[in-house]
Amino acid sequence: MSGKTSGGFLERTIQGAVSLLQETVSVENVAARNGFLQHRDPRFKCLSAAALLIAVLMSRNLAELSVLYAAVLCMALLSAIGLFFFLKRTLLFVPVFSLFIVVPAIFSGVTPGEPLASFKVLLWNLTITRQGVDSAIVFFMRVLDSVSFAVLLVLTTRQHVLLKTLRVFRVPQLFVMTMGMTYRYIFLFLDIIQKMLIAIKSRVGFVASTRDGRKIVTANMAGLWLRSYRLHSQVYDAMVARGFSGEAFVLDEFHARVPDVVILLAALMALIGTLWLNLFFR
Amino acid sequence: MHIPDGYLGPITCGVAYAAMVPAWIIASRRVKKTLAARQVPLLAIGAAFSFVIMMFNVPIPGGTTGHAVGAVLVAILLGPWAACIAVSVALVIQALLFGDGGITALGANCFNMAFVLPVTGYFVYRLISGNSPVKSFRRVVAAGIAGYAGLVIASVCAGLEFGIQPLLHHTASGQALYCPYGIKVAVVSMVGGHLLFGFVELAVTSLVVKFLQVQDPTLLGHNREAAS
């Protein structure tokens, strides 16, 4: 193999597949715990999460976003989710990435306003503005709140229940059925990828040129498509053999209790309060 | 390209969802018309394929790796409308079941990656490949250019969505409430990055098509009706 070496791409892909599998197992474990949100009716929980996400989206100041963040942390603790685990799951990546992205916006070049501090870097005079800092903090908190509410919903609801809830909300059957099957296929594909790449690694070793590496990866992608394409008619035969006639049926029934209604009312009040504050008192 | 929650304001999120509803309806109708019941699992396979394709680390010069989106590849394999559904499903699963990607920004993500990317990419693929034979080299070139062009056009859309936020949502003192960068900065940075790293998409789309031409060329020819 010639050219510049670029080792590690096989390991990174295998590691990515393993991480996703491990994460799914850990999420399923959390969703199976005996916590407050785990026992809630998923229909009410999804509606509450949607109301709170819209409230976060409509919030315009740090105080509102901080109250919503305190609420999400309290709900996580009530749902038997460790604070460290939740913070690690929500703070890393998107909010931290957003923090880096928003740093240039604190300077007067992007957000003009009242100067807070000025300094010189090489040939440039930089000025941090109050409006810039406020804007960056609100942006960061909004991203953090949104990620936290979305992750809390995922952590406290089992995946198959979440899919079933979509059907209750009249999401077209083609989409829900495809989602359910896709979810299962993803794990099948991850298993195939892992096996294929480990087989390659054991034959060609760790080092490949960039060009050869690309060939290996794309041949694997094409191989994955070939294998899965050949599978689809067998899957359909298996579905028909189990009684599939074009309509997917939901077996479990959902039962609403008083706390489900209370949590939805609280979420709706938070949304109405946010809308009222931001539309009439800005 | 993947927009998280909190970057786009309510107007953009609402408009993007509203724009995707007719796209999903048209896609569902087209797919129901062209895909036989036997091929329903194929949609799920396409969605899972577009999900896992992003997990493949592709070596790029300089010793680092990148990843492809694969939406144009799915469009070439299944047709643009089936790709619209497949990529939308992959994005919904990513957001709802894995907690990655935005829920309020889902409409915008689907518009960029499940509609603009596969539809424009497929159009470019058809334009360049014309009526050339399935096993021709022209189709390999067409697939690569289509993957690259689709990605860059979708990044323009994402850049515009980011860039209009300071115009749409700001306080009386001019403080931006969502993405703080204007159109010039947002579009230049989004498109610049994708122009630079878009060749991963080019390489993946063209090489997979080339591989399938050798292994099973029928897979590249079955969706012609779905496309038109």
Side-chain angles (χ1 to χ4, degrees), chain A residues 30 42 107 135 180 190 241-242 263 271 273 277:
Chain A
V30 175
F107 296 101
S135 173
L190 289 177
R242 284 165 176 78
I263 204 164
L271 173 61
L277 281 172

Side-chain angles (χ1 to χ4, degrees), chain A residues 129-166:
Chain A
T129 64
R130 191 181 57 78
Q131 283 82 357
V133 173
D134 288 349
S135 173
I137 292 172
V138 167
F139 175 74
F140 172 75
M141 277 305 290
R142 183 179 286 110
V143 173
L144 181 61
D145 278 16
S146 309
V147 171
S148 301
F149 277 115
V151 168
L152 187 64
L153 176 68
V154 171
L155 284 176
T156 56
T157 318
R158 305 189 94 157
Q159 275 92 344
H160 71 277
V161 176
L162 209 50
L163 285 175
K164 215 179 299 173
T165 314
L166 292 178

Side-chain angles (χ1 to χ4, degrees), chain A residues 89-104:
Chain A
R89 184 80 169 71
T90 52
L91 260 173
L92 291 180
F93 197 63
V94 175
V96 171
F97 175 73
S98 304
L99 203 58
F100 281 113
I101 280 188
V102 85
V103 164

Side-chain angles (χ1 to χ4, degrees), chain A residues 6 12-13 16 57 60 89 98 101 104-105 135 142 146 154 159 162 182 214 218 221-222 228-229 232 236-237, chain B residues 5 7-8 37-38 40 42 44-45 47-49 55 57 59 65 93 96-98 176-178 181 204 207 211 219:
Chain A
S6 66
R12 272 185 231 177
T13 306
L57 195 66
R60 287 169 164 250
R89 184 80 169 71
S98 304
I101 280 188
S135 173
R142 183 179 286 110
S146 309
V154 171
Q159 275 92 344
L162 209 50
T182 303
R214 272 201 296 273
T218 49
M221 286 176 184
S228 41
Y229 187 85
H232 87 266
Y236 182 76
D237 290 340
Chain B
D5 280 330
Y7 280 60
L8 304 179
R38 177 164 281 276
V40 168
L42 200 56
I45 287 174
F49 186 70
M55 296 189 67
N57 284 279
T65 58
I93 285 181
L96 283 184
L97 302 188
F98 292 100
L177 290 163
Y178 299 90
Y181 303 106
V204 165
L207 288 172
F211 188 90
L219 292 181

Side-chain angles (χ1 to χ4, degrees), chain B residues 72-148:
Chain B
V72 177
L73 182 61
V74 177
I76 292 169
L77 295 168
L78 294 179
W81 296 111
C84 177
I85 293 181
V87 180
S88 297
V89 165
L91 290 171
V92 172
I93 285 181
Q94 225 166 1
L96 283 184
L97 302 188
F98 292 100
D100 291 330
I103 294 177
T104 55
L106 190 63
N109 282 324
C110 286
F111 180 76
N112 300 334
M113 289 195 276
F115 179 67
V116 174
L117 180 50
V119 171
T120 57
Y122 191 79
F123 177 75
V124 173
Y125 174 72
R126 294 281 289 178
L127 197 73
I128 298 173
S129 61
N131 288 323
S132 59
V134 171
K135 291 180 93 171
S136 69
F137 183 67
R138 193 168 150 186
R139 281 190 184 259
V140 176
V141 175
I145 295 172
Y148 187 80

